[in-house]
Amino acid sequence: MSNEPLKVIEAYTYFWADYEFNDLTWNQSYAEGKATIAEIIGHLMNWDHYLISNVVRAVKAGKGIEFPDFDSHNKLGYEYVKNKTKNQIVNEFKETRIQLHSLLIENLEIVNRHTTANGVSNCPNTGTPYSLLYIIQEFIEHDEHHKKQIESVNTNE
């Protein structure tokens, strides 16, 4: 096996490790009517929990990945962070990433295994066959998207 899976897993795990979330903008939205920074992190953490509790288990069992309805799943992440401090959320987010990292490393033999996502074998955008590693790469792009949103708030303060 090449080092690519380890590089991808490490990139995902430590994507936010050194990021300094601004106290002043923590509860601000990146745009009118959109999620706050706290809610974005809750949303990301909720997806990490889903990867831990459902996705890795499904791939390991030779089953396809079934993702929930995105909007309702995202709302759960937004709600989860209500009434929690920034430090509680950030610490839990980082701990969840480390937990996912451990689970992926323990199951390294399955990360390149072909699977389906909601019954689809290949990514409709790239044609690439789905695997756990491919999903993690998509989640890195998802993190990058949200980091840009967060940074847009921090540069406008």
Side-chain angles (χ1 to χ4, degrees):
M1 183 181 292
S2 74
N3 285 336
E4 182 195 6
L6 290 175
K7 288 179 185 175
V8 171
I9 293 166
E10 297 291 316
Y12 187 66
T13 301
Y14 299 109
F15 190 89
W16 297 96
D18 296 327
Y19 195 84
E20 293 293 327
F21 294 96
N22 187 319
D23 290 338
L24 298 175
T25 58
W26 180 247
N27 288 306
Q28 287 185 20
S29 171
Y30 66 91
E32 185 77 28
K34 298 294 185 176
T36 66
I37 292 172
E39 290 170 334
I40 289 170
I41 299 306
H43 150 83
L44 295 174
M45 183 170 43
N46 198 39
W47 280 109
D48 286 351
H49 282 294
Y50 192 81
L51 290 172
I52 290 166
S53 62
N54 294 284
V55 172
V56 175
R57 182 178 296 146
V59 173
K60 190 172 183 175
K63 297 179 182 174
I65 299 168
E66 293 296 327
F67 287 109
D69 172 71
F70 294 151
D71 290 337
S72 58
H73 189 75
N74 291 342
K75 286 179 185 174
L76 292 172
Y78 301 155
E79 289 299 316
Y80 182 78
V81 299
K82 302 277 190 236
N83 304 315
K84 292 186 187 246
T85 68
K86 181 186 115 185
N87 285 341
Q88 287 173 315
I89 297 164
V90 170
N91 288 338
E92 186 176 345
F93 177 48
K94 289 178 180 180
E95 288 170 12
T96 302
R97 282 281 163 107
I98 296 297
Q99 183 183 358
L100 179 57
H101 177 269
S102 296
L103 184 62
L104 291 169
I105 295 301
E106 289 168 12
N107 292 283
L108 206 51
E109 73 281 358
I110 67 164
V111 298
N112 281 314
R113 183 183 291 169
H114 183 65
T115 189
T116 60
N118 290 353
V120 178
S121 296
N122 294 40
C123 175
N125 299 322
T126 66
T128 304
Y130 279 121
S131 67
L132 188 50
L133 190 64
Y134 188 81
I135 298 293
I136 296 297
Q137 289 170 320
E138 286 188 325
F139 273 64
I140 291 171
E141 292 173 14
H142 181 237
D143 277 8
E144 290 169 348
H145 165 75
H146 285 301
K147 188 178 268 188
K148 287 178 187 169
Q149 293 172 331
I150 290 169
E151 289 174 348
S152 75
V153 174
N154 290 336
T155 58
N156 291 329
E157 57 173 302

